[in-house]
Amino acid sequence: MSNVERTLSIIKPDAVERNLTQEIQNIFSKNNLKIVESKKIHITKEEAAEFYKVHQSKQFYSDLCSYLSSGPIVVMILEGENSVALNRKIMGATDPKNAEDNTIRKLYGLSIDKNSVHGSDSIENAKTEINFFFKD
Ligand code: CMP
């Protein structure tokens, strides 16, 4: 049975700054994740705070919001079979130190903060996150 779904991906400032956008997008394409929308934007700290509000109780919240708004990012809608779980597998563990070989964070991540990419962690959050950046 086909289970085509959509997820939200963000290429974070550290990766955009190092011109890794195309390489990361090629990894998605090679893994059958189709990029159906993509745009480069620079958000405010307030917008980052709204996007990451599920983390508002965490001690790293303020730094996280400052970081996501520190430079241009590329936001994308990815579509494919089990895309939420597949994207998380391709990204690797949140902390690049713990990420498996050949995952995006292992290849390009610099630290737990500068970990190059974000991906939705559930189908429900994917819908909310897609709507956040791609409201018609
Ligand atoms: P991301 O998948 O974008 O979701 C929240 C982000 O918070 C995460 O990636 C990390 O970059 C960042 N972060 C910073 N410190 C931590 C931490 N201790 N645990 C989890 N995420 C953290």
Side-chain angles (χ1 to χ4, degrees), residues 12 52 55 59-60 64 88 91 94 105 111-115 117-119:
K12 295 188 181 183
Y52 272 135
H55 294 298
Q59 41 96 19
F60 58 81
L64 173 63
R88 290 181 69 76
M91 288 194 298
T94 305
R105 285 167 170 162
S111 66
I112 194 164
D113 302 299
K114 297 183 174 181
N115 63 353
V117 281
H118 165 84

